[in-house]
Amino acid sequence: MKRLILTFTALFLTLSLFAESLTGYDIMKKADEVPSPTNSSSTATLTIHSKKGSDRIREVIMKSKDYGDVEKQVIVFTTPKDVSGTGYLMFEYAEDAAGNKKDSDNWLYMPAMKKTRRIASSGSESEGSFMGTDFTYQDMGDRSLSKYDYKLLGEESVDGTACYKVECISKAHTEKDPRYISYISKSDYSLRKCEFYDRQDQLHRVLTCTNFVTIKGFTTAQKMKMENVQSGTWSLIETNNIVYDEEDLDDSIFTVAALEKGRIR
């Protein structure tokens, strides 16, 4: 019995040391590697809250498909009428074995202008407001692990969930928000909260992810709220009708032509 107790004690200590040895980079890498569905379809309600207290409501369709080396995503606004048909197409490329990642390709289609334009994946344009919200174009995609330095600041509970608190600092130092702090769930490595700091190192925006559900084994946040604490505005994405891996999405919908012809429904 004594030998058994010693064995379990040694195992516990080994696991504890392993947990303590995780670096900020390790945690963010684990979060980045959390399995995701091959394809997904959903609808969402987007609420844009102004500093004067008024709300604008948008309805959107969202679809994505993972091809291994690239994930393609499309977002199309359906209501109200003045933005109906507006679409955003994004190709996010996977990192190679050396940790390098090709910049994403992004297109925005504006039906009122009957024109599609490329959105730069880096620089000031990528940090601009996404369709008048507190989210940026950069927020809509994945941030490359290799472009940041990481530091584990400790642990903190977010809405009752134990999380790792990881500081992420841009190596380029040129971003509007060059530093952010991610709160990553210790149990499933999902993002629960993120605090973005501006170039003066003042808190700029706060992202909170709530209403988590598990669909086909995938942990999913049904609500994502981005609050600009400096301007007093916020934007909320409430996702509904989520479907994972239940249909083989037609490759042709992930094209500029599909956006321009209004084929995405």
Side-chain angles (χ1 to χ4, degrees):
M1 177 62 73
K2 184 177 180 181
R3 182 184 297 275
L4 184 61
I5 292 174
L6 288 173
T7 300
F8 274 116
T9 301
L11 178 61
F12 174 77
L13 289 173
T14 300
L15 291 173
S16 297
L17 287 171
F18 174 75
E20 291 174 1
S21 69
L22 285 175
T23 66
Y25 174 80
D26 294 333
I27 293 164
M28 296 305 291
K29 191 171 190 298
K30 284 178 175 290
D32 187 62
E33 293 175 345
V34 169
S36 58
T38 301
N39 62 61
S40 68
S41 296
S42 62
T43 59
T45 299
L46 173 58
T47 302
I48 306 170
H49 183 80
S50 74
K51 58 184 177 182
K52 293 183 179 180
S54 61
D55 291 341
R56 288 178 290 156
I57 309 297
R58 306 280 188 259
E59 300 289 341
V60 302
I61 294 172
M62 301 187 293
K63 297 180 185 292
S64 71
K65 190 170 184 178
D66 192 344
Y67 292 82
D69 59 340
V70 59
E71 181 179 1
K72 299 181 180 182
Q73 303 178 53
V74 64
I75 301 172
V76 176
F77 288 74
T78 57
T79 62
K81 187 176 181 180
D82 62 332
V83 296
S84 179
T86 299
Y88 184 61
L89 176 65
M90 176 170 53
F91 291 3
E92 279 281 350
Y93 299 95
E95 289 191 352
D96 60 23
N100 300 312
K101 182 179 179 182
K102 178 183 174 182
D103 287 342
S104 63
D105 289 315
N106 314 280
W107 298 266
L108 178 67
Y109 173 63
M110 306 290 286
M113 301 174 64
K114 296 183 179 180
K115 184 178 180 180
T116 300
R117 69 182 182 92
R118 292 289 294 265
I119 302 293
S121 59
S122 60
S124 60
E125 188 171 36
S126 70
E127 297 173 315
S129 168
F130 174 73
M131 293 300 295
T133 71
D134 295 290
F135 293 91
T136 66
Y137 287 100
Q138 188 178 45
D139 294 332
M140 305 310 291
D142 295 326
R143 295 171 187 262
S144 175
L145 286 173
S146 62
K147 293 183 178 181
Y148 295 83
D149 290 317
Y150 304 94
K151 181 180 180 181
L152 177 59
L153 300 180
E155 299 178 7
E156 190 171 317
S157 178
V158 176
D159 197 24
T161 299
C163 293
Y164 293 112
K165 186 176 179 180
V166 182
E167 179 184 59
C168 313
I169 301 178
S170 170
K171 293 179 180 179
H173 302 289
T174 56
E175 297 180 12
K176 186 180 296 183
D177 295 332
R179 183 171 81 94
Y180 63 94
I181 297 176
S182 295
Y183 295 77
I184 306 296
S185 169
K186 294 180 66 177
S187 61
D188 58 20
Y189 290 93
S190 62
L191 177 66
R192 298 295 170 132
K193 186 172 77 169
C194 194
E195 298 167 340
F196 297 87
Y197 291 80
D198 62 20
R199 292 177 184 173
Q200 288 70 48
D201 206 29
Q202 299 297 308
L203 182 62
H204 182 198
R205 299 180 299 149
V206 178
L207 171 68
T208 52
C209 304
T210 58
N211 285 48
F212 282 85
V213 294
T214 301
I215 303 173
K216 289 195 170 183
F218 301 109
T219 301
T220 305
Q222 294 181 107
K223 291 187 178 182
M224 292 183 290
K225 182 179 181 180
M226 184 69 83
E227 180 182 5
N228 188 321
V229 299
Q230 295 182 6
S231 68
T233 61
W234 54 259
S235 301
L236 173 66
I237 299 175
E238 299 176 89
T239 310
N240 307 292
N241 306 312
I242 303 169
V243 176
Y244 291 152
D245 296 337
E246 286 192 2
E247 57 179 306
D248 186 19
L249 297 181
D250 188 342
D251 295 337
S252 66
I253 69 173
F254 300 102
T255 62
V256 171
L259 283 181
E260 295 176 343
K261 294 178 181 178
R263 291 173 45 201
I264 303 167
R265 293 287 186 266

